[in-house]
Amino acid sequence: MTQTHAPYRVDHVGSFLRPQELVVAREKFTAGELSQEELTLVEDQAIRELVKKKSLLV
């Protein structure tokens, strides 16, 4: 039998893995434990961190 999906999940943005804080925040948002505004704050911080890392690599 041919397997079409990896036996594990990798959650990433481009070549960067999503930070655990973002994964947890999205789970909490889905469960109704976090507002859209709170999720946006976590997402924005994750983006800032990624841009900072990316600019250090260039």
Side-chain angles (χ1 to χ4, degrees), residues 31-53:
E33 300 171 11
L34 208 62
S35 70
Q36 179 64 57
E37 293 79 19
E38 292 168 316
L39 175 60
T40 299
L41 289 173
V42 175
E43 290 172 333
D44 289 350
Q45 182 59 36
I47 291 167
R48 282 192 286 281
E49 297 280 330
L50 182 59
V51 169
K52 188 186 306 182
K53 284 181 187 179

Side-chain angles (χ1 to χ4, degrees), residues 5-40:
H5 300 289
Y8 50 86
R9 179 177 175 192
V10 178
D11 197 13
H12 61 85
V13 179
S15 60
F16 292 94
L17 291 175
R18 292 188 197 277
Q20 188 61 32
E21 300 82 24
L22 181 56
V23 173
V24 170
R26 289 192 173 172
E27 288 172 354
K28 287 183 176 184
F29 175 74
T30 300
E33 300 171 11
L34 208 62
S35 70
Q36 179 64 57
E37 293 79 19
E38 292 168 316
L39 175 60
T40 299

